[in-house]
Amino acid sequence: MSVSFPRRALALAAVSAFAPLTAHAEDITVFAAASMTNALAEIEENFEAETGHSLAISLAGSSALARQIQQGAPADIFISANPGWMDTLEEEGLVEPGTRFDLLNNSIVLIAAGDADAVEITPDLDLAGLLNGGRLAMALVDAVPAGIYGKASLETLGLWDDVEAQVAQADNVRAALALVATGEAPYGIVYATDAAAEAGVTVVGTFPADSHPAIVYPAADLANRDVPAETEFLEYLKGAEARAAFERQGFVVVAD
């Protein structure tokens, strides 16, 4: 007994030394744009390991998530792929004042199922001819940010009227990506980060940045409750580990 007790004490001390330095572990619910799926999977694992907090991440189109928040969904953090939906929640008093910041930038690309030749996306592009009777997969063009940006770009380039009847709208950008990856649509418009996460598609062109509003992802604490873990997570998103995770997926991190 005189030998085993010190060993047990040392073992407990070692466990204590490497335990997360969290005074009180919290459960945090994060509502985030579907285009962040891969990056947030990595961030979730690392954040939980480092802090002891538990994240529940709900991923969908920003419009759907914003409407759920308006209807009282118990989310703590919202990360939108479009400033407009964050503006709406802020105007309705659903965002904790002073917590909002711009986190990421992205770009939109034209993708094709399997291998395909690159094209230059200009007003001269014969997109309807490229589709050859097939469908153009996009997220909801009047509600989901990726669809809104895509439609805006096509309108700016004068291509929308030529392809509007061939657009297959999906609930979110990942669903649009899946339509192309499975061959149900020969082409689609998604974020560059989504295309990078799917081996079954080829990026054939990038839409000019000046053909659509800047793609900005704001993040904020929601006003339904206030616990320290929420602030910890928002600060973590600005840190080096989260930055690396975002950049591996092709995002541009703009948060300081």
Side-chain angles (χ1 to χ4, degrees):
M1 296 295 291
S2 61
V3 175
S4 61
F5 178 79
R7 287 180 178 174
R8 176 176 173 78
L10 287 171
L12 289 173
V15 170
S16 178
F18 288 97
L21 299 178
T22 304
H24 179 62
E26 294 281 353
D27 295 327
I28 312 165
T29 300
V30 179
F31 277 19
S35 52
M36 304 177 70
T37 298
N38 293 57
L40 284 180
E42 181 178 345
I43 288 169
E44 176 182 12
E45 181 178 355
N46 292 339
F47 178 77
E48 290 180 339
E50 290 185 22
T51 67
H53 299 308
S54 178
L55 294 181
I57 299 179
S58 180
L59 298 152
S62 299
S63 57
L65 295 173
R67 291 190 183 103
Q68 290 176 33
I69 293 167
Q70 289 174 313
Q71 294 165 6
D76 299 309
I77 303 292
F78 181 43
I79 310 174
S80 174
N82 179 283
W85 285 111
M86 189 69 80
D87 292 344
T88 297
L89 297 184
E90 201 163 28
E91 290 165 4
E92 295 179 3
L94 298 174
V95 172
E96 190 70 34
T99 65
R100 175 178 175 172
F101 63 93
D102 289 341
L103 176 61
L104 305 168
N105 286 157
N106 208 338
S107 58
I108 51 172
V109 296
L110 181 67
I111 59 171
D115 295 326
D117 294 332
V119 299
E120 186 177 2
I121 301 179
T122 70
D124 296 326
L125 175 65
D126 182 10
L127 184 54
L130 199 63
L131 292 172
N132 192 29
R135 308 301 294 273
L136 178 67
M138 299 177 65
L140 295 169
V141 298
D142 294 321
V144 176
I148 293 171
Y149 293 126
K151 180 182 178 182
S153 188
L154 292 174
E155 288 179 328
T156 298
L157 296 168
L159 303 175
W160 175 251
D161 289 344
D162 293 337
V163 300
E164 180 180 3
Q166 292 172 265
V167 172
Q169 298 189 51
D171 286 342
N172 58 65
V173 68
R174 284 299 173 109
L177 177 69
L179 287 176
V180 181
T182 58
E184 295 182 59
Y187 288 89
I189 299 175
V190 300
Y191 293 121
T193 50
D194 295 299
E198 174 54 66
V201 304
T202 299
V203 174
V204 297
T206 300
F207 286 85
D210 60 2
S211 68
H212 57 78
I215 301 175
V216 179
Y217 288 61
D221 183 9
L222 297 173
N224 56 344
R225 68 171 186 155
D226 187 19
V227 295
E230 296 169 346
T231 300
E232 284 185 56
F233 181 68
L234 289 175
E235 288 302 313
Y236 186 87
L237 291 176
K238 301 177 184 179
E241 287 190 7
R243 175 181 291 271
F246 286 128
E247 290 177 346
R248 276 191 284 274
Q249 299 301 322
F251 288 102
V252 175
V253 181
V254 295
D256 295 327

